[in-house]
Amino acid sequence: MKKKNFKGRCEKRMLEKCKGVCRTYDAIQFAYADMLESDENVKEFQCNVLLENQNVGEYTTDFLCVKTDGDVFVRECVERKYLTKPLTVKLLDTSREYWLRHGVEDWGLVIDEEE
């Protein structure tokens, strides 16, 4: 999850399955976008989807994906070192609850490899 107007380094790419420009802000997002692009079970995906009307501020979900069978799933990218931070936990809980309210049950994390 990122703030809506995140001011960090952004890589913009055009990917066939991504609606619009694929904007990635870290190595985890970049690599996962490539994985989604090459996954034959994924029909399309969106990056940095705004979570509307949340009490934590304006944040975005990293990936909202549609499988070829029509099922929808969400993935949030998080560095392992931030998993225990209180704000990270709060934001991830907010994302999970938001997508559950919108009928998306397949919600998960993408975490960098252990060193």
Side-chain angles (χ1 to χ4, degrees):
M1 291 182 69
K2 304 274 183 275
K3 278 195 175 259
K4 179 182 173 190
N5 296 317
F6 182 74
K7 300 294 183 198
R9 182 172 183 259
C10 176
E11 292 192 44
K12 299 176 187 174
R13 303 185 287 165
M14 293 300 295
L15 298 175
E16 191 174 308
K17 293 182 182 179
C18 184
K19 287 184 164 183
V21 177
C22 181
R23 290 175 170 87
T24 55
Y25 297 95
D26 57 39
I28 302 170
Q29 277 187 318
F30 189 92
Y32 195 67
D34 285 342
M35 286 177 60
L36 291 172
E37 184 69 18
S38 63
D39 187 339
E40 61 188 37
N41 295 317
V42 175
K43 177 182 173 184
E44 65 184 24
F45 65 92
Q46 296 177 53
C47 299
N48 308 305
V49 179
L50 182 64
L51 300 177
E52 298 175 353
N53 303 320
Q54 299 303 301
N55 60 356
V56 293
E58 292 187 311
Y59 283 87
T60 60
T61 283
D62 293 322
F63 293 100
L64 175 62
C65 312
V66 180
K67 294 181 183 178
T68 52
D69 64 5
D71 287 346
V72 177
F73 67 97
V74 169
R75 294 295 180 264
E76 299 288 3
C77 300
V78 184
E79 288 185 45
R80 185 174 302 278
K81 64 184 178 184
Y82 296 122
L83 282 175
T84 57
K85 303 286 184 186
L87 179 59
T88 301
V89 172
K90 179 180 178 180
L91 293 174
L92 292 173
D93 282 344
T94 298
S95 171
R96 186 176 51 81
E97 291 167 7
Y98 176 88
W99 290 111
L100 281 173
R101 285 194 309 273
H102 287 82
V104 178
E105 294 183 18
D106 187 354
W107 182 96
L109 298 176
V110 179
I111 302 169
D112 57 335
E113 293 184 48
E114 203 166 357
E115 295 179 1

